Amino acid sequence: MAQTKTAAATKRPPRTIAGAVSPADDPARATVLATYEGAIRLLQEGKFDKAHAAFEKLLHSGAGDLADRVRMYISACVAQGAKNKASFSSAEEQYDYAVSLLNDGNYEDAREQFTLILKKNENADYAFYGLAILASMTGDSQTCLEHLTEAIRRNPQNRIQARSDSDFQDMADDPRFTELLYPEV
């Protein structure tokens, strides 16, 4: 037992070759590790396309001893990304998916889905309505008003729905919003 204490007490930090920077002090290594950790975080959040891009960038910039792990994570991103590519039997199904993304706080993914609906059908008033809700939730009042105006122009029933929609609560104090929902008779 006394021998164990002596060995632990005499243990010294490892030596480096004169002039060499220890791995802990190497700024390039710190950058690689920060990028690697960021890519792992994206993967854990389910953002497989973004994680894939980050891992590819890391691999091409010289991942060094992490290269094998990076390749493994790239394969995982590709597999998960292919599995998660949503296919919809109708625009309404895609809209429901976009709303679920919106409710989960995945604003960019929701915006992408609403935009895809509009690319397929430029008269999809419900997609404009969804974009209006998204803008309201993210504090972009001007964009909210633009999209809601378009949704109402394409389907006047959206005006009635917006009056009782709690997703527009942040817009309630904006006089332009009130004017849009309750125009003079």
Side-chain angles (χ1 to χ4, degrees):
M1 191 169 205
Q3 198 175 27
T4 307
K5 288 182 181 178
T6 308
T10 61
K11 189 173 182 178
R12 293 184 221 152
R15 296 182 186 180
T16 60
I17 298 174
V21 178
S22 72
D25 297 332
D26 184 7
R29 177 71 175 170
T31 302
V32 166
L33 288 175
T35 304
Y36 178 76
E37 289 170 0
I40 294 285
R41 207 171 304 112
L42 289 169
L43 181 67
Q44 291 170 339
E45 293 170 0
K47 298 177 180 174
F48 303 113
D49 290 338
K50 291 178 182 178
H52 183 221
F55 283 124
E56 285 286 345
K57 180 180 175 186
L58 186 62
L59 192 60
H60 293 298
S61 69
D65 60 331
L66 297 173
D68 287 337
R69 287 181 184 219
V70 168
R71 285 186 195 94
M72 179 198 63
Y73 283 126
I74 288 172
S75 296
C77 289
V78 169
Q80 287 296 323
K83 187 191 309 184
N84 290 341
K85 292 290 181 196
S87 60
F88 306 101
S89 60
S90 67
E92 288 77 15
E93 189 177 292
Q94 187 172 7
Y95 175 79
D96 290 342
Y97 176 67
V99 169
S100 72
L101 290 170
L102 184 64
N103 290 337
D104 288 341
N106 297 320
Y107 300 132
E108 289 308 312
D109 294 336
R111 182 185 329 277
E112 181 181 330
Q113 293 300 318
F114 290 132
T115 303
L116 288 171
I117 292 169
L118 288 171
K119 283 182 181 176
K120 294 176 190 170
N121 177 7
E122 62 187 33
N123 293 318
D125 62 280
Y126 51 89
F128 282 108
Y129 190 89
L131 286 168
I133 290 172
L134 172 64
S136 173
M137 293 173 79
T138 58
D140 187 352
S141 60
Q142 183 60 40
T143 302
C144 174
L145 291 169
E146 290 170 4
H147 289 305
L148 187 56
T149 299
E150 192 59 31
I152 291 170
R153 186 181 75 74
R154 293 173 189 272
N155 181 356
Q157 291 296 316
N158 286 320
R159 175 178 281 126
I160 296 165
Q161 182 174 343
R163 288 176 181 168
S164 61
D165 195 331
S166 63
D167 290 326
F168 290 117
Q169 67 188 9
D170 294 337
M171 295 292 296
D173 295 333
D174 190 323
R176 301 170 299 170
F177 180 73
T178 306
E179 187 177 306
L180 178 62
L181 296 186
Y182 301 97
E184 292 183 34
V185 182

